[in-house]
Amino acid sequence: MLSQYYTVKGPGINEIVIQKSRFIAHIDRATTEEEAQAFILDVKKQHRDANHNCSAYMIGDNNQIQKANDDGEPSGTAGVPILEVLKKKDLKDTVVVITRYFGGIKLGAGGLIRAYGKATSEGLAATGLVERNLMRVMHTKIDYTLLGKVENELRSSPYEIKDMLYLEDVEILAFVVEDEKQEYVDWMVDLTNGKSTTIEGEVTYLETLINN
């Protein structure tokens, strides 16, 4: 598992018009080639009346799966420009389909390359990008009398709260960098004057929305 990488926030759709042609970007995450192909097929079914449904995807920790499809546009003018945007933004596990409804004005090879690149970039901006960081979830149990103090300190600290469980005691789940686990435990002990119990939980990704 990668310690950090960028991908799209989630499914998104965005439309632009260039020289009377409609370019509709459909974007989603895909962690396998099968997921990517299923997404592309679904878009093609929804827009079977479109002139083209061009696509590209980049999957894997080392971008080992990269595919681009022009779907009838001149070779290299659609799928590759879409893929190049994904590469430039260093996005992993991402699939993009650009649906084109021809508006009657031919764009030429250069125009098509620019149009598909722009449709992809604006589609990604509308969908949103996230930075995913691999974190350890730490579980800390405290008495309810300490909740206000601990919560306030946590919210002004570098640690991000994942969840709070209100059981017999309060159980706070926080995202912590793997190398800072002991530092977090010591900090929590000091914060509660020893009246807390912290154990390690699962390893998962913390997602942070980033500016495109």
Side-chain angles (χ1 to χ4, degrees):
M1 299 174 75
L2 290 173
S3 61
Q4 181 272 339
Y5 69 95
Y6 301 101
T7 188
V8 290
K9 182 181 178 182
I13 298 175
N14 186 70
E15 180 177 336
I16 63 174
V17 177
I18 298 174
Q19 294 293 307
K20 298 185 178 180
S21 281
R22 295 170 59 205
F23 291 85
I24 308 168
H26 310 265
I27 296 166
D28 204 357
R29 286 188 201 176
T31 57
T32 66
E33 191 164 16
E34 290 73 22
E35 286 181 7
Q37 291 173 345
F39 179 77
I40 293 167
L41 183 60
D42 185 56
V43 173
K44 285 187 172 183
K45 286 179 180 177
Q46 292 178 45
H47 295 275
R48 56 173 58 89
D49 59 333
N51 297 89
H52 308 279
N53 286 290
C54 307
S55 60
Y57 50 84
M58 197 153 67
I59 297 168
D61 289 354
N62 299 306
N63 304 328
Q64 55 265 45
I65 301 174
Q66 300 181 26
K67 294 288 177 64
N69 190 299
D70 295 312
D71 194 41
E73 292 281 30
S75 180
T77 63
V80 170
I82 297 170
L83 184 60
E84 285 302 314
V85 174
L86 298 183
K87 289 180 179 180
K88 184 177 180 181
K89 293 184 177 294
D90 194 24
L91 299 180
K92 300 184 184 301
D93 296 345
T94 301
V95 55
V96 177
V97 182
I98 306 294
T99 298
R100 183 189 183 193
Y101 287 91
F102 183 55
I105 300 175
K106 292 185 177 182
L107 302 180
L112 286 172
I113 290 170
R114 289 189 294 273
Y116 279 99
K118 181 177 181 180
T120 304
S121 295
E122 293 195 11
L124 291 170
T127 301
L129 307 182
V130 294
E131 179 180 346
R132 303 192 87 210
N133 285 283
L134 197 60
M135 308 286 273
R136 175 73 66 175
V137 178
M138 302 295 283
H139 297 242
T140 301
K141 288 185 178 181
I142 59 172
D143 186 82
Y144 277 86
T145 57
L146 294 169
L147 177 58
K149 175 185 177 182
V150 172
E151 184 178 0
N152 285 339
E153 290 292 333
L154 267 171
R155 295 199 184 281
S156 60
S157 77
Y159 308 112
E160 185 162 332
I161 297 172
K162 180 178 186 288
D163 201 0
M164 300 184 72
L165 308 176
Y166 301 96
L167 306 170
E168 184 176 346
D169 292 313
V170 182
E171 185 171 349
I172 301 172
L173 282 62
F175 291 104
V176 179
V177 175
E178 189 73 19
D179 293 343
E180 298 177 5
K181 291 184 299 187
Q182 190 57 51
E183 181 181 328
Y184 177 81
V185 171
D186 294 342
W187 179 68
M188 195 57 71
V189 168
D190 290 342
L191 192 59
T192 62
N193 294 317
K195 296 178 181 178
S196 63
T197 303
T198 300
I199 62 172
E200 294 183 17
E202 69 275 23
V203 173
T204 188
Y205 282 102
L206 170 63
E207 293 189 0
T208 306
L209 192 64
I210 61 173
N211 294 323
N212 296 314

